[in-house]
Structures are given as structure tokens and as C-alpha cells.
Amino acid sequence: MGFADKYVWALGASTLQDDETHHATEPLFAAAVADTVGIGIGALLSRVKFADGSISKVFESGTQNLPHLIRTWSALVAQKGEERKWVKIRAEWDVAAASALYARVAQRSLAHWLDGKCKACCGTGVTAERRICQTCKGNRAEEITGQGFEANLVKDMISELDGLLQAHNARAAARLRREPAGSIL
């Protein structure tokens, strides 16, 4: 069981006891500690992508973390856009154009990262007739559309999201391996 599975299990645990048989608090603590390094949105990414839409929480709609993630991700994309000089600011209207670009890239990259499955085959890669899906060419992912420059920025930000989540999960999993069961706190 990978760290993401342990974390989702801990989020859905009915009890947060910490004794010799119950260890639901350990993945939560490891995720919190892992978020103290770097940007600190790894646990939020895990909650939104894996836990908020879980079957057991359908009645809650699982959207309480999404607005926070959207705000945080939009600010990070704007910061990266400024640092990487996606738009050269020469005039006043360039500021508005840059802000609009940052917002579009943030929204599209997060939306694709959260649910980038091909709509034609529902992310299976094959059609109902058991043929390779012509829309996604069998790779199960929806194609990123748009202008070349913006589409490349969206792909870059999707890679950033993947990297943030993987780095967070690796730090948290390493924390779980270092601590013997029941001794994290």
C-alpha cells in the first residue's frame, strides 16, 4: 500500500486512536510534517485528488478543499509565471494580459490534473467495441487543446502538480518508514 492509499485510509478512519492496533494518525502526521518542507500543498493535493471524491463521502460532495486548492494553485502559477517571464510587461495592458494568462493556465492545468481522463472512452483507452480509442489513441488521457504557447504552459504546470504530489508522498512515506508504529507522537 502506497502512501497515498494510507493517507486516504487515515482520512476516512472512523477513529483516530493511536495504540498498538490503531495507527490512523501516523499517515496524517507524516503528511503534515512533509508539508513543512517546500511549497506545502502536498497533503491538500492528495485530499482533493484522492479523498474528497471517495465513494464513502458522496453525500458530502467532497468539495470543501477544492476552493482552497484553486486559490493556492492560482497564486503559485502566477508566481511561476512572473518568475519565468511568461509575459514581458512593457505596458499597462500587459499586466491584465499576464493575469488572464496565469488564471487560464492555473484553471486548465488543475482541471486536467484532477480529471484528465479521455471523455470518449472514460479513461480506459478502448471503446465499447474493444478497439483502441481514436480520440486518445489508447493513452487514456484527454488531449490538452489550445494555442501552442498556452498548451505548453498547461502541460508544464500539470508536470509541476505531479512533481509536487510525488515529492510530498515520498517525504511522508520516508517519515513513516523512519518511525516505528505507535511512536510518531
Side-chain angles (χ1 to χ4, degrees):
M1 178 185 296
F3 176 75
D5 296 326
K6 290 178 185 177
Y7 183 69
V8 170
W9 172 79
L11 287 173
S14 60
T15 179
L16 290 178
Q17 293 177 350
D18 192 26
D19 57 21
E20 60 277 349
T21 58
H22 300 93
H23 305 290
T25 57
E26 293 172 1
L28 299 175
F29 183 74
V33 170
D35 265 352
T36 61
V37 178
I39 295 174
I41 66 167
L44 182 60
L45 291 172
S46 291
R47 279 194 308 273
V48 171
K49 184 158 181 150
F50 302 118
D52 279 355
S54 65
I55 301 299
S56 64
K57 296 188 178 191
V58 170
F59 63 92
E60 295 174 0
S61 77
T63 59
Q64 63 269 19
N65 295 306
L66 186 58
H68 180 58
L69 179 59
I70 291 170
R71 284 190 305 275
T72 305
W73 181 242
S74 295
L76 285 170
V77 169
Q79 178 185 0
K80 288 182 183 300
E82 290 171 6
E83 290 171 356
R84 297 174 184 180
K85 307 240 186 275
W86 290 348
V87 177
K88 293 189 190 294
I89 308 295
R90 294 184 206 137
E92 190 174 320
W93 59 80
D94 290 338
V95 174
S99 295
L101 176 67
Y102 302 154
R104 283 193 313 271
V105 170
Q107 291 169 359
R108 290 183 60 206
S109 62
L110 188 58
H112 191 275
W113 184 77
L114 288 172
D115 184 26
K117 295 184 288 190
C118 175
K119 305 299 183 243
C121 65
C122 298
T124 62
V126 294
T127 63
E129 297 84 29
R130 295 187 175 177
R131 294 197 172 122
I132 292 178
C133 176
Q134 293 302 308
T135 305
C136 68
K137 308 290 189 260
N139 71 2
R140 303 178 191 169
E142 185 176 39
E143 183 180 350
I144 297 170
T145 59
Q147 298 174 351
F149 177 68
E150 188 173 322
N152 287 337
L153 295 177
V154 169
K155 288 176 188 174
D156 186 35
M157 291 297 101
I158 291 169
S159 295
E160 290 274 343
L161 284 164
D162 282 334
L164 287 170
L165 181 65
Q166 289 173 5
H168 172 266
N169 286 352
R171 285 191 305 270
R175 176 73 185 196
L176 278 179
R177 282 191 300 271
R178 276 197 309 249
E179 300 294 333
S183 69
I184 283 187
L185 299 174

